[in-house]
């Protein structure tokens, strides 16, 4: 989610929804309010704490790459799966998922992909399999990545759920998140096994050109567990995301020898932080504009809620079936993708005040994850296609069915564990 046109779209829609509301004010069916403060200031300012988590998550991802930890994990995978391309592909999927349980951002994806795609090419794994395996594995990791969670969370802030619950990072969510991640990884592995003959018959090829022979620093195998440290601290010690990410980052510096001298430490902190913040700068501006849009949309939709109450089904099972059947509408930033037209969809559903908040979370986030895993409008997916030269039609044909099938089982898990 890099930003770009979505920033303009969300800001423009915030202005539009505010205008629509004040048209209702002119007709006497709504009351005026201070839109400068309530729409274009307070929502963005209140998002500051979430922005901190996104920044630290992106920074940790960059630290994993620049210290050589990510490269070390990747190369270990190749050694273990040497001469067994199917096993190696499964291990690469698992390693990708492991790294991105904490790492986040297109910069991290580019750095990891620049290591893993040439490896899969040398093993003869066809691009039509290699690219979906990489992007789907990142998508699986996102289920327990606190950085992506806090990007979805604001859509549901301030909602008065009939059961009194709120969308928050913690045990209730993580037990579902872990199950969702496992389900998606199982489906990915099955996809690899189904295509095992194609993988074994594949011929090695070069990918990426010059620059893939970069020498990464050698690190201790002890550091290979660091990607899961933030999630582990949240699960077992109930730590919030910020201290979890900070401790993991400090351990990465310590265990890779970057704290042996003050000069070295200052240098790597500066370089990794600068790169990480650059990677997510556009994303943060987009999210601030999203908060403005959300505040304006809630105000405007409140005016037409009485009419909508008679149109939208109030049966949860019916809505689940509709969403699962139409889940691919999340692709191309469609009406089931929260970071797309789905932002309006969730606003309408929230305005009804009928459904429990975790139900709505599952209803919209599960299809949105299809977009993150298998749509080329997702920034790191677009980069993967450009880097490997795989065409979009082949990518969608191979990736979307895996993500769609996963969503069905993940929704079943949500009905048991989340809502």
């Amino acid at each position: 989610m890099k930003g770009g046109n979505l920033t303009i779209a969300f800001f423009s829609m915030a202005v539009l929804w505010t205008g629509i509301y004040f048209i209702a004010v002119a007709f006497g069916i709504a009351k005026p309010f201070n839109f400068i403060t309530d729409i274009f200031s307070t929502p963005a300012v209140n998002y500051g704490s979430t922005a901190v988590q996104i920044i630290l998550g992106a920074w940790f991802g960059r630290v994993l790459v620049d210290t050589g930890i990510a490269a070390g994990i990747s190369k270990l995978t190749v050694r273990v799966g040497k001469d067994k391309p199917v096993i190696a592909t499964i291990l690469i999927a698992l390693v990708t998922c492991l790294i991105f349980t904490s790492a986040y951002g297109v910069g991290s994806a580019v750095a990891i992909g620049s290591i893993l795609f040439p490896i899969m090419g040398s093993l003869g794994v066809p691009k039509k399999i290699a690219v979906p395996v990489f992007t789907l594995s990142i998508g699986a990791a996102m289920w327990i990545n606190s950085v992506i969670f806090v990007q979805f969370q604001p859509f549901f802030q301030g909602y008065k759920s009939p059961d009194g619950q709120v969308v928050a990072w913690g045990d209730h969510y993580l037990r579902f998140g872990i199950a969702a991640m496992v389900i998606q990884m199982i489906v990915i592995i099955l996809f690899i096994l189904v295509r095992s003959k194609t993988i074994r018959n594949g011929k090695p090829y070069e990918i990426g050109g010059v620059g893939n022979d970069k020498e990464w620093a050698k690190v201790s195998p002890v550091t290979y567990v660091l990607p899961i440290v933030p999630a582990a601290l949240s699960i077992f010690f109930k730590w919030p995301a910020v201290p979890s990410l900070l401790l993991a980052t400090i351990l990465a510096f310590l265990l890779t020898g970057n704290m042996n001298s003050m000069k070295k430490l200052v240098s790597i902190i500066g370089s990794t932080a600068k790169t990480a913040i650059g990677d997510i700068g556009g994303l943060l501006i987009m999210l601030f504009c999203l908060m403005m849009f959300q505040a304006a949309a809630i105000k405007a939709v409140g005016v037409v809620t009485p009419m909508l109450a008679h149109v939208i089904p109030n049966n949860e099972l019916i809505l689940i079936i509709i969403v699962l059947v139409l889940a691919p509408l999340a692709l191309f930033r469609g009406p089931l993708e929260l970071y797309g037209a789905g932002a309006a969809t969730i606003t309408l559903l929230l305005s009804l005040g009928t459904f429990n908040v975790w139900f709505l979370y599952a209803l919209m986030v599960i299809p949105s994850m299809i977009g993150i895993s298998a749509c080329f409008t997702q920034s790191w997916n677009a980069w993967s296609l450009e880097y490997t030269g795989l065409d979009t039609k082949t990518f969608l044909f191979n990736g979307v069915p895996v993500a769609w099938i996963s969503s069905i089982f993940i929704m079943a898990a949500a009905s048991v564990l989340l809502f």
Side-chain angles (χ1 to χ4, degrees), residues 253-266 268:
F253 289 144
L254 177 65
L255 296 174
T256 55
N258 283 286
M259 295 181 72
N260 291 345
S261 70
M262 182 60 69
K263 183 178 180 180
K264 194 173 184 180
L265 179 61
V266 170
I268 195 166

Side-chain angles (χ1 to χ4, degrees), residues 6 28 103 140 184 205 240 297 309 311 317 343 357 387 409:
L6 283 176
Q184 186 154 326
Y205 57 91
V311 177
L317 180 59
V357 69
Y387 183 75
F409 293 100

